[in-house]
Coordinates of all heavy atoms in Angstrom, one line a residue:
M1 N 11.5 -30.6 55.1 CA 10.5 -29.5 55.1 C 10.6 -28.7 53.8 O 11.6 -28.5 53.2 CB 11.1 -28.5 56.2 CG 10.2 -27.4 56.4 SD 10.8 -26.2 57.6 CE 11.3 -24.9 56.6
A2 N 9.4 -28.4 53.3 CA 9.3 -27.9 52.0 C 9.6 -26.3 52.1 O 9.3 -25.7 53.0 CB 7.9 -28.0 51.5
T3 N 10.5 -25.8 51.2 CA 11.0 -24.4 51.2 C 10.1 -23.7 50.4 O 9.4 -24.2 49.5 CB 12.4 -24.3 50.7 OG1 12.3 -24.6 49.4 CG2 13.4 -25.1 51.6
K4 N 10.1 -22.2 50.5 CA 9.4 -21.4 49.6 C 9.6 -21.7 48.2 O 8.8 -21.8 47.3 CB 9.8 -20.0 49.9 CG 8.7 -18.9 49.5 CD 9.3 -17.6 50.1 CE 8.5 -16.4 49.4 NZ 7.3 -16.1 49.9
H5 N 10.9 -21.9 47.8 CA 11.4 -22.2 46.5 C 10.8 -23.4 45.9 O 10.5 -23.5 44.7 CB 12.9 -22.3 46.5 CG 13.5 -22.4 45.1 ND1 13.9 -23.5 44.5 CD2 13.6 -21.3 44.1 CE1 14.3 -23.2 43.3 NE2 14.1 -21.8 43.0
D6 N 10.6 -24.5 46.7 CA 10.0 -25.7 46.3 C 8.5 -25.6 45.9 O 8.0 -26.0 44.9 CB 10.1 -26.8 47.4 CG 11.4 -27.2 47.7 OD1 12.2 -27.2 46.9 OD2 11.8 -27.5 48.9
T7 N 7.8 -24.8 46.6 CA 6.4 -24.7 46.5 C 5.9 -23.7 45.6 O 4.7 -23.6 45.3 CB 5.7 -24.7 48.0 OG1 6.3 -23.4 48.5 CG2 5.9 -25.7 48.7
E8 N 6.8 -22.6 45.2 CA 6.3 -21.6 44.5 C 7.0 -21.4 43.3 O 8.3 -21.2 43.3 CB 6.6 -20.2 45.4 CG 5.7 -19.2 45.1 CD 5.9 -18.0 46.1 OE1 7.1 -17.9 46.6 OE2 5.2 -17.1 46.2
S9 N 6.4 -21.5 42.1 CA 7.1 -21.4 40.9 C 7.5 -20.0 40.5 O 6.9 -19.1 41.1 CB 6.2 -22.0 39.7 OG 5.2 -21.0 39.4
V10 N 8.5 -19.9 39.5 CA 8.9 -18.6 39.1 C 7.7 -17.7 38.6 O 7.6 -16.6 38.9 CB 10.0 -18.7 38.0 CG1 10.3 -17.5 37.4 CG2 11.2 -19.4 38.6
L11 N 6.8 -18.4 37.8 CA 5.7 -17.7 37.3 C 4.8 -17.2 38.4 O 4.3 -16.1 38.3 CB 4.9 -18.7 36.3 CG 5.5 -18.8 35.0 CD1 4.7 -19.7 34.2 CD2 5.7 -17.4 34.3
E12 N 4.5 -18.1 39.3 CA 3.7 -17.6 40.4 C 4.2 -16.4 41.1 O 3.5 -15.5 41.5 CB 3.5 -18.8 41.5 CG 2.4 -19.8 41.0 CD 2.4 -21.0 41.8 OE1 3.6 -21.3 42.4 OE2 1.5 -21.7 41.9
R13 N 5.6 -16.4 41.4 CA 6.2 -15.2 42.1 C 6.1 -14.0 41.2 O 5.8 -12.9 41.7 CB 7.7 -15.6 42.5 CG 7.8 -16.2 43.8 CD 9.2 -16.5 44.1 NE 9.6 -17.7 43.6 CZ 10.8 -17.9 42.8 NH1 11.6 -17.0 42.8 NH2 11.0 -19.1 42.4
Q14 N 6.3 -14.1 39.9 CA 6.1 -12.9 39.0 C 4.7 -12.4 39.0 O 4.6 -11.3 39.0 CB 6.6 -13.3 37.6 CG 8.1 -13.5 37.5 CD 8.6 -13.8 36.0 OE1 7.7 -14.4 35.3 NE2 9.8 -13.6 35.8
A15 N 3.8 -13.3 39.1 CA 2.4 -12.9 39.0 C 2.0 -11.9 40.2 O 1.1 -11.2 40.0 CB 1.4 -14.2 39.0
V16 N 2.7 -12.0 41.3 CA 2.3 -11.2 42.5 C 3.2 -10.0 42.7 O 3.0 -9.3 43.6 CB 2.2 -12.1 43.9 CG1 1.2 -13.2 43.8 CG2 3.6 -12.6 44.2
K17 N 4.1 -9.8 41.7 CA 5.0 -8.6 41.7 C 4.0 -7.4 41.6 O 3.1 -7.4 40.6 CB 6.0 -8.6 40.7 CG 7.2 -9.2 41.1 CD 8.5 -8.6 40.3 CE 8.3 -8.6 38.8 NZ 9.4 -8.4 38.1
P18 N 4.2 -6.4 42.2 CA 3.4 -5.1 42.1 C 3.7 -4.6 40.7 O 4.8 -4.7 40.2 CB 3.8 -4.1 43.1 CG 5.1 -4.6 43.5 CD 5.1 -6.2 43.4
P19 N 2.7 -4.1 40.0 CA 3.0 -3.5 38.7 C 3.9 -2.3 38.7 O 3.9 -1.6 39.6 CB 1.6 -2.9 38.2 CG 0.8 -2.8 39.5 CD 1.3 -3.7 40.5
P20 N 4.7 -2.1 37.6 CA 5.5 -1.0 37.5 C 4.8 0.3 37.6 O 3.6 0.4 37.1 CB 6.3 -1.0 36.2 CG 5.4 -2.0 35.4 CD 4.7 -2.8 36.3
M21 N 5.3 1.4 38.3 CA 4.6 2.7 38.4 C 5.4 3.7 37.6 O 6.6 3.6 37.4 CB 4.5 3.1 39.8 CG 3.7 2.1 40.6 SD 1.9 1.9 40.0 CE 1.3 3.4 40.9
Y22 N 4.7 4.7 37.2 CA 5.4 5.8 36.3 C 5.1 7.1 36.9 O 3.9 7.5 37.2 CB 4.7 5.7 34.9 CG 5.2 4.4 34.2 CD1 4.4 3.3 34.5 CD2 6.2 4.3 33.3 CE1 4.9 1.9 34.0 CE2 6.6 3.1 32.8 CZ 5.9 1.9 33.1 OH 6.2 0.7 32.5
Q23 N 6.2 8.0 37.0 CA 6.0 9.4 37.4 C 5.8 10.2 36.0 O 6.3 10.0 35.0 CB 7.1 9.9 38.2 CG 8.5 9.9 37.4 CD 9.6 10.5 38.2 OE1 9.6 10.4 39.4 NE2 10.6 11.1 37.7
V24 N 4.9 11.1 36.2 CA 4.5 12.0 35.0 C 5.2 13.4 35.5 O 4.9 13.9 36.6 CB 3.0 12.2 34.8 CG1 2.7 13.2 33.7 CG2 2.5 10.9 34.4
A25 N 6.0 14.0 34.6 CA 6.8 15.1 34.9 C 6.6 16.2 33.7 O 6.4 15.8 32.6 CB 8.2 14.8 35.2
L26 N 6.6 17.4 34.2 CA 6.6 18.5 33.1 C 8.1 19.0 33.0 O 8.8 18.9 34.0 CB 5.8 19.7 33.7 CG 4.3 19.5 33.8 CD1 3.5 20.6 34.5 CD2 3.7 19.1 32.4
L27 N 8.4 19.5 31.9 CA 9.8 20.0 31.6 C 9.6 21.4 31.3 O 8.6 22.0 30.9 CB 10.3 19.3 30.3 CG 10.4 17.7 30.4 CD1 11.0 17.2 29.0 CD2 11.1 17.2 31.6
N28 N 10.8 22.1 31.6 CA 10.6 23.6 31.5 C 10.8 24.0 30.0 O 11.4 23.3 29.2 CB 11.9 24.3 32.2 CG 11.6 25.8 32.3 OD1 10.6 26.3 32.4 ND2 12.9 26.5 32.4
D29 N 10.4 25.2 29.6 CA 10.7 25.9 28.4 C 10.6 27.3 28.6 O 10.3 27.7 29.7 CB 9.7 25.4 27.3 CG 8.4 25.8 27.6 OD1 8.0 27.1 27.3 OD2 7.4 25.0 27.8
D30 N 11.0 28.2 27.7 CA 11.1 29.5 27.7 C 9.7 30.3 27.4 O 9.7 31.4 27.5 CB 12.2 30.1 26.9 CG 13.6 29.7 27.4 OD1 13.7 29.3 28.5 OD2 14.6 29.7 26.6
Y31 N 8.8 29.5 26.9 CA 7.6 30.2 26.2 C 6.2 30.0 27.0 O 5.4 30.8 27.0 CB 7.5 29.8 24.8 CG 8.8 30.1 24.1 CD1 9.6 29.0 23.7 CD2 9.1 31.3 23.7 CE1 10.8 29.3 23.2 CE2 10.2 31.7 23.0 CZ 11.2 30.5 22.7 OH 12.3 30.8 22.1
T32 N 6.1 28.7 27.6 CA 4.8 28.5 28.2 C 4.5 29.4 29.4 O 5.4 29.5 30.3 CB 4.6 27.0 28.6 OG1 4.9 26.2 27.4 CG2 3.3 26.7 29.1
P33 N 3.5 30.1 29.5 CA 3.2 31.1 30.6 C 3.1 30.3 31.9 O 2.5 29.2 32.0 CB 1.9 31.7 30.3 CG 1.7 31.5 28.7 CD 2.5 30.2 28.4
M34 N 3.7 30.9 33.0 CA 3.6 30.2 34.3 C 2.2 29.9 34.7 O 1.9 28.8 35.2 CB 4.3 31.1 35.4 CG 5.8 31.2 35.2 SD 6.6 32.2 36.5 CE 8.2 32.0 36.2
E35 N 1.3 30.9 34.5 CA -0.1 30.7 34.9 C -0.8 29.5 34.1 O -1.5 28.8 34.8 CB -0.8 32.0 34.6 CG -2.3 32.0 35.1 CD -2.4 31.7 36.6 OE1 -1.6 32.2 37.4 OE2 -3.2 30.7 36.9
F36 N -0.4 29.3 33.0 CA -1.0 28.2 32.2 C -0.4 26.8 32.8 O -1.2 25.9 32.9 CB -0.6 28.2 30.7 CG -1.0 27.1 29.8 CD1 -2.2 27.1 29.3 CD2 -0.3 25.9 29.6 CE1 -2.9 26.2 28.5 CE2 -0.7 25.0 28.8 CZ -2.0 25.0 28.2
V37 N 0.8 26.8 33.2 CA 1.4 25.6 33.8 C 0.6 25.2 35.2 O 0.4 24.1 35.4 CB 2.9 25.6 34.0 CG1 3.4 24.4 34.6 CG2 3.6 25.8 32.7
V38 N 0.5 26.2 35.9 CA -0.2 26.1 37.2 C -1.7 25.6 37.0 O -2.1 24.6 37.7 CB -0.3 27.4 38.0 CG1 -1.2 27.3 39.3 CG2 1.1 27.8 38.4
A39 N -2.3 26.1 36.0 CA -3.7 25.7 35.7 C -3.6 24.1 35.3 O -4.5 23.4 35.6 CB -4.3 26.5 34.6
I40 N -2.7 23.8 34.4 CA -2.5 22.4 33.9 C -2.4 21.5 35.2 O -3.1 20.4 35.3 CB -1.3 22.2 33.0 CG1 -1.7 22.9 31.7 CG2 -0.9 20.9 32.9 CD1 -2.4 22.0 30.7
I41 N -1.5 21.8 36.1 CA -1.2 21.0 37.3 C -2.5 20.8 38.1 O -2.8 19.7 38.5 CB 0.0 21.5 38.0 CG1 1.2 21.6 37.1 CG2 0.2 20.7 39.3 CD1 2.5 22.2 37.7
Q42 N -3.2 21.9 38.3 CA -4.4 21.9 39.1 C -5.4 21.0 38.4 O -6.1 20.1 39.0 CB -5.0 23.3 39.2 CG -4.3 24.1 40.2 CD -5.1 25.4 40.6 OE1 -4.7 26.4 40.0 NE2 -6.1 25.3 41.3
E43 N -5.6 21.1 37.1 CA -6.7 20.4 36.4 C -6.4 18.9 36.2 O -7.3 18.1 36.5 CB -6.9 21.1 35.0 CG -8.0 20.5 34.2 CD -8.5 21.3 33.1 OE1 -8.0 22.5 32.9 OE2 -9.1 20.7 32.2
Y44 N -5.2 18.5 35.8 CA -4.9 17.2 35.5 C -4.3 16.3 36.6 O -4.3 15.2 36.5 CB -4.0 17.1 34.2 CG -4.8 17.7 33.0 CD1 -4.5 18.9 32.5 CD2 -5.8 16.9 32.4 CE1 -5.2 19.4 31.4 CE2 -6.5 17.4 31.3 CZ -6.2 18.6 30.8 OH -6.9 19.2 29.7
F45 N -3.7 17.1 37.5 CA -3.2 16.3 38.7 C -3.6 16.6 40.0 O -3.2 16.2 41.0 CB -1.5 16.6 38.7 CG -1.0 16.2 37.3 CD1 -0.7 17.1 36.4 CD2 -0.6 14.9 37.1 CE1 -0.2 16.9 35.2 CE2 0.0 14.6 36.0 CZ 0.2 15.5 34.9
N46 N -4.9 17.3 40.1 CA -5.7 17.5 41.3 C -4.9 18.1 42.4 O -5.1 17.7 43.5 CB -6.3 16.1 41.7 CG -7.1 15.3 40.6 OD1 -7.9 16.1 39.9 ND2 -6.9 14.1 40.3
K47 N -4.1 19.1 42.1 CA -3.3 19.7 43.1 C -4.0 21.1 43.4 O -4.7 21.7 42.6 CB -1.9 20.0 42.7 CG -1.1 18.9 42.3 CD -0.9 17.9 43.4 CE 0.0 16.8 42.9 NZ 0.0 15.7 43.9
D48 N -3.9 21.5 44.8 CA -4.4 22.8 45.0 C -3.6 23.9 44.5 O -2.3 23.6 43.9 CB -4.6 23.1 46.5 CG -3.4 22.9 47.4 OD1 -2.3 23.3 46.8 OD2 -3.4 22.4 48.4
R49 N -3.9 25.2 44.4 CA -3.1 26.2 43.7 C -1.8 26.3 44.3 O -0.8 26.6 43.5 CB -3.9 27.5 43.8 CG -3.5 28.6 42.9 CD -4.4 29.7 42.8 NE -3.6 30.7 42.0 CZ -3.4 30.7 40.7 NH1 -4.0 29.7 39.9 NH2 -2.7 31.5 40.0
E50 N -1.6 26.3 45.7 CA -0.3 26.5 46.3 C 0.7 25.4 45.9 O 1.8 25.7 45.4 CB -0.5 26.5 47.8 CG -1.3 27.6 48.3 CD -2.7 27.8 48.0 OE1 -3.4 26.8 47.9 OE2 -3.2 28.9 47.7
T51 N 0.2 24.1 45.8 CA 1.1 22.9 45.5 C 1.4 23.0 44.0 O 2.5 22.7 43.7 CB 0.3 21.6 45.9 OG1 -0.1 21.7 47.2 CG2 1.2 20.5 45.5
A52 N 0.4 23.4 43.3 CA 0.6 23.5 41.8 C 1.7 24.6 41.5 O 2.5 24.3 40.6 CB -0.7 23.8 41.0
T53 N 1.6 25.7 42.2 CA 2.5 26.8 42.0 C 4.0 26.4 42.4 O 5.0 26.6 41.8 CB 2.1 28.0 42.8 OG1 0.8 28.4 42.5 CG2 3.2 29.2 42.6
Q54 N 4.1 25.5 43.5 CA 5.4 25.1 44.0 C 5.9 24.1 42.9 O 7.2 24.3 42.6 CB 5.3 24.4 45.2 CG 5.1 25.3 46.5 CD 6.2 26.4 46.5 OE1 7.4 26.1 46.3 NE2 5.7 27.5 46.7
I55 N 5.1 23.2 42.3 CA 5.6 22.3 41.2 C 6.1 23.1 40.1 O 7.1 22.8 39.5 CB 4.6 21.2 40.9 CG1 4.3 20.3 42.2 CG2 5.0 20.4 39.7 CD1 3.1 19.4 41.9
M56 N 5.3 24.1 39.7 CA 5.6 24.9 38.4 C 7.0 25.6 38.6 O 7.8 25.7 37.7 CB 4.5 25.9 38.3 CG 4.7 26.8 37.0 SD 6.0 28.1 37.3 CE 4.9 29.2 38.5
L57 N 7.2 26.2 40.0 CA 8.3 26.9 40.2 C 9.6 25.8 40.1 O 10.7 26.2 39.8 CB 8.3 27.5 41.5 CG 7.4 28.9 41.5 CD1 7.3 29.5 42.8 CD2 8.1 29.9 40.4
T58 N 9.3 24.7 40.6 CA 10.4 23.6 40.6 C 10.9 23.3 39.1 O 12.1 23.3 38.9 CB 10.0 22.3 41.3 OG1 9.7 22.6 42.8 CG2 11.0 21.2 41.2
V59 N 9.9 23.3 38.3 CA 10.1 23.0 36.9 C 10.9 24.3 36.4 O 11.9 24.0 35.6 CB 8.8 22.8 36.0 CG1 9.2 22.5 34.6 CG2 8.1 21.7 36.5
H60 N 10.4 25.3 36.7 CA 11.1 26.6 36.1 C 12.5 26.7 36.5 O 13.3 27.2 35.8 CB 10.2 27.9 36.6 CG 10.8 29.2 36.2 ND1 10.7 29.5 34.8 CD2 11.3 30.2 36.8 CE1 11.2 30.7 34.7 NE2 11.5 31.1 35.9
R61 N 12.8 26.4 37.9 CA 14.1 26.6 38.4 C 15.1 25.4 38.1 O 16.3 25.6 37.9 CB 14.0 26.8 39.8 CG 13.4 28.0 40.3 CD 13.2 28.1 41.9 NE 12.5 29.3 42.2 CZ 11.6 29.4 43.3 NH1 11.3 28.3 43.9 NH2 11.1 30.6 43.5
T62 N 14.6 24.1 38.0 CA 15.5 23.0 37.9 C 15.3 22.3 36.5 O 16.1 21.4 36.2 CB 15.1 22.0 38.9 OG1 13.9 21.3 38.7 CG2 15.0 22.6 40.4
G63 N 14.3 22.6 35.7 CA 14.2 22.0 34.4 C 13.1 20.9 34.4 O 12.6 20.6 33.3
K64 N 12.7 20.4 35.6 CA 11.8 19.3 35.6 C 11.0 19.3 37.0 O 11.6 19.6 38.0 CB 12.6 18.0 35.5 CG 11.9 16.8 35.4 CD 12.8 15.6 35.0 CE 12.3 14.3 35.3 NZ 13.3 13.3 34.9
G65 N 9.8 18.8 36.9 CA 9.0 18.6 38.2 C 8.0 17.5 38.1 O 7.3 17.4 37.1
V66 N 8.0 16.6 39.1 CA 7.1 15.5 39.0 C 5.7 15.9 39.6 O 5.6 16.6 40.6 CB 7.6 14.4 40.1 CG1 6.6 13.3 40.1 CG2 8.9 14.0 39.5
C67 N 4.7 15.6 38.8 CA 3.3 15.9 39.1 C 2.5 14.8 39.8 O 1.5 15.1 40.5 CB 2.6 16.4 37.9 SG 3.3 17.9 37.1
G68 N 3.0 13.5 39.7 CA 2.3 12.5 40.3 C 2.9 11.1 39.8 O 3.7 11.1 38.9
V69 N 2.5 10.1 40.4 CA 2.9 8.7 40.1 C 1.6 7.9 39.9 O 0.8 7.7 40.8 CB 3.8 8.1 41.2 CG1 4.3 6.7 40.9 CG2 5.1 9.0 41.5
F70 N 1.7 7.1 38.7 CA 0.5 6.4 38.4 C 0.8 5.1 37.6 O 1.9 4.8 37.3 CB -0.3 7.2 37.3 CG -0.4 8.7 37.7 CD1 0.4 9.7 37.3 CD2 -1.5 9.0 38.5 CE1 0.3 11.0 37.7 CE2 -1.7 10.4 38.9 CZ -0.9 11.3 38.5
S71 N -0.2 4.2 37.5 CA -0.1 3.0 36.6 C 0.3 3.4 35.3 O 0.1 4.7 34.8 CB -1.4 2.2 36.8 OG -2.5 2.8 36.2
K72 N 0.7 2.5 34.4 CA 1.2 2.8 33.1 C 0.2 3.6 32.4 O 0.2 4.7 31.6 CB 1.7 1.6 32.4 CG 2.4 1.9 31.1 CD 3.0 0.5 30.5 CE 3.9 0.9 29.4 NZ 4.6 -0.4 29.0
D73 N -1.2 3.0 32.2 CA -2.1 3.6 31.4 C -2.8 4.9 31.8 O -3.0 5.8 31.0 CB -3.2 2.6 31.0 CG -3.7 1.8 32.0 OD1 -2.9 1.5 33.1 OD2 -4.9 1.3 32.1
I74 N -2.8 5.1 33.2 CA -3.2 6.4 33.7 C -2.2 7.4 33.4 O -2.4 8.6 32.9 CB -3.4 6.3 35.2 CG1 -4.4 5.3 35.6 CG2 -3.8 7.7 35.7 CD1 -5.9 5.6 35.3
A75 N -0.8 7.1 33.6 CA 0.3 8.0 33.2 C 0.1 8.4 31.8 O 0.3 9.6 31.4 CB 1.6 7.4 33.6
C76 N 0.1 7.4 30.8 CA -0.1 7.6 29.4 C -1.2 8.6 29.1 O -1.0 9.5 28.4 CB -0.1 6.2 28.8 SG 0.3 6.3 27.0
T77 N -2.3 8.4 29.7 CA -3.5 9.2 29.5 C -3.1 10.6 29.9 O -3.6 11.6 29.4 CB -4.7 8.6 30.2 OG1 -5.0 7.3 29.6 CG2 -5.9 9.5 29.8
K78 N -2.6 10.8 31.1 CA -2.3 12.1 31.7 C -1.4 12.9 30.6 O -1.6 14.1 30.5 CB -1.6 12.0 33.0 CG -2.4 11.3 34.1 CD -3.0 12.3 35.0 CE -3.9 11.6 36.1 NZ -4.9 12.4 36.7
V79 N -0.4 12.2 30.1 CA 0.6 12.8 29.3 C -0.1 13.3 28.0 O 0.0 14.4 27.6 CB 1.7 11.8 28.9 CG1 2.6 12.4 27.7 CG2 2.6 11.6 30.0
E80 N -1.0 12.4 27.5 CA -1.8 12.8 26.2 C -2.6 14.0 26.4 O -2.6 14.9 25.6 CB -2.6 11.5 25.8 CG -1.9 10.5 25.0 CD -2.7 9.2 24.7 OE1 -3.9 9.4 24.9 OE2 -2.1 8.3 24.3
F81 N -3.5 14.0 27.6 CA -4.3 15.0 27.8 C -3.5 16.4 28.0 O -3.9 17.5 27.5 CB -5.0 14.9 29.1 CG -6.2 13.9 29.0 CD1 -7.0 13.6 30.1 CD2 -6.6 13.4 27.8 CE1 -8.1 12.7 30.0 CE2 -7.6 12.5 27.7 CZ -8.4 12.2 28.8
V82 N -2.3 16.4 28.7 CA -1.6 17.7 29.0 C -1.1 18.1 27.6 O -1.2 19.3 27.3 CB -0.5 17.4 29.9 CG1 0.5 18.5 29.9 CG2 -1.0 17.1 31.3
L83 N -0.5 17.3 26.8 CA 0.1 17.7 25.5 C -1.0 18.1 24.5 O -0.7 19.2 23.9 CB 0.8 16.5 24.8 CG 2.1 16.1 25.6 CD1 2.7 14.9 24.9 CD2 3.1 17.2 25.8
T84 N -2.2 17.5 24.6 CA -3.3 18.0 23.7 C -3.7 19.3 24.1 O -3.9 20.2 23.3 CB -4.4 17.0 23.7 OG1 -4.0 15.7 23.3 CG2 -5.6 17.4 22.8
H85 N -4.0 19.5 25.4 CA -4.4 20.8 25.9 C -3.3 21.9 25.6 O -3.6 23.0 25.1 CB -4.5 20.8 27.4 CG -5.2 22.0 28.1 ND1 -6.0 21.9 29.2 CD2 -5.0 23.2 27.8 CE1 -6.3 23.1 29.5 NE2 -5.9 23.9 28.8
A86 N -2.1 21.7 25.8 CA -1.0 22.6 25.6 C -0.9 23.0 24.0 O -0.8 24.2 23.7 CB 0.4 22.2 26.1
R87 N -0.9 22.0 23.2 CA -0.8 22.3 21.8 C -2.1 23.1 21.3 O -1.9 24.1 20.4 CB -0.8 21.0 20.9 CG 0.5 20.3 21.1 CD 1.8 21.0 20.9 NE 2.9 20.2 21.4 CZ 3.3 20.4 22.8 NH1 2.8 21.3 23.6 NH2 4.3 19.7 23.2
K88 N -3.2 22.7 21.7 CA -4.5 23.5 21.4 C -4.4 25.0 21.8 O -4.7 25.9 21.1 CB -5.7 22.9 22.0 CG -6.3 21.7 21.3 CD -7.6 21.3 21.8 CE -8.2 20.1 20.9 NZ -9.0 19.3 21.9
A89 N -3.7 25.2 22.9 CA -3.5 26.6 23.4 C -2.3 27.3 22.8 O -1.9 28.4 23.0 CB -3.3 26.6 24.9
G90 N -1.5 26.4 21.9 CA -0.3 27.0 21.2 C 0.9 27.1 22.0 O 1.8 27.9 21.7
H91 N 1.0 26.2 23.1 CA 2.2 26.3 24.0 C 3.1 25.1 23.8 O 2.6 24.0 23.5 CB 1.9 26.4 25.5 CG 1.0 27.7 25.7 ND1 1.4 29.0 25.2 CD2 -0.2 27.8 26.4 CE1 0.4 29.8 25.8 NE2 -0.5 29.2 26.3
P92 N 4.4 25.2 23.9 CA 5.4 24.1 23.6 C 5.6 23.2 24.9 O 6.6 22.3 24.8 CB 6.7 24.8 23.2 CG 6.6 26.0 24.0 CD 5.1 26.5 24.0
L93 N 4.8 23.4 25.9 CA 5.0 22.7 27.1 C 5.2 21.1 26.8 O 4.5 20.6 26.0 CB 3.7 22.7 27.9 CG 3.7 22.0 29.3 CD1 4.8 22.6 30.3 CD2 2.4 22.1 29.9
Q94 N 6.2 20.5 27.5 CA 6.6 19.1 27.3 C 6.2 18.4 28.6 O 6.5 18.9 29.7 CB 8.0 19.0 27.1 CG 8.3 19.2 25.6 CD 7.7 18.4 24.6 OE1 7.2 17.2 24.8 NE2 7.6 18.8 23.3
C95 N 5.6 17.1 28.5 CA 5.2 16.3 29.5 C 5.7 14.9 29.4 O 5.5 14.4 28.1 CB 3.7 16.5 29.7 SG 3.0 15.4 31.1
V96 N 6.3 14.3 30.2 CA 7.0 13.0 30.0 C 6.6 12.0 31.1 O 6.2 12.4 32.3 CB 8.5 13.0 29.9 CG1 9.0 13.8 28.7 CG2 9.1 13.5 31.2
M97 N 6.7 10.7 30.8 CA 6.5 9.7 31.9 C 7.7 8.8 32.0 O 8.4 8.5 31.0 CB 5.2 8.8 31.7 CG 5.2 8.0 30.3 SD 3.7 7.2 30.1 CE 3.8 5.7 30.9
E98 N 8.1 8.4 33.2 CA 9.3 7.6 33.4 C 9.1 6.6 34.6 O 8.4 6.9 35.6 CB 10.4 8.6 34.0 CG 10.8 9.7 33.0 CD 11.5 10.8 33.8 OE1 11.4 11.0 35.0 OE2 12.1 11.7 33.0
E99 N 9.4 5.3 34.3 CA 9.2 4.3 35.3 C 9.9 4.6 36.6 O 11.1 5.2 36.5 CB 9.6 2.9 34.7 CG 9.3 1.8 35.6 CD 9.6 0.5 35.0 OE1 9.7 0.4 33.7 OE2 9.6 -0.5 35.7
V100 N 9.4 4.4 37.7 CA 10.1 4.7 38.9 C 10.4 3.5 39.8 O 9.9 2.4 39.4 CB 9.2 5.7 39.9 CG1 9.1 7.1 39.3 CG2 7.8 5.1 40.2
Ligands
TYC1 N1 9.9 28.9 32.1 C1 8.5 29.3 31.9 C2 8.5 30.9 31.8 O1 9.4 31.5 32.3 C3 7.6 28.8 32.8 C4 7.4 27.4 32.7 C5 7.2 26.6 34.0 C6 7.3 26.7 31.6 C7 7.1 25.2 33.9 C8 7.1 25.3 31.5 O2 6.8 23.2 32.6 C9 7.0 24.6 32.7 N2 7.4 31.4 31.3

């Protein structure tokens, strides 16, 4: 009887692995206004005001808060948009992506 190992090559098995996913998180700092962070989370991560406020408070209290999980290029674009928006507004807000 043919086994799965006989009929499926290593390459074929790798080809059907789901792509890695990345969480995008905000980091705390002492200067970015809370209201600005809430607006960022609403605008770029499609959260309602209550959810955005909870995430902001998690960042403020623990140092970090996850805003969403995305494919690599979507996560990368979110980080770029958030950092560009924050720098234009003169805030030091940090946004990172991490494989999950
Ligand atoms: N700690 C900031 C303050 O007290 C608020 C803040 C929250 C900053 C979340 C960044 O990602 C952040 N104004």
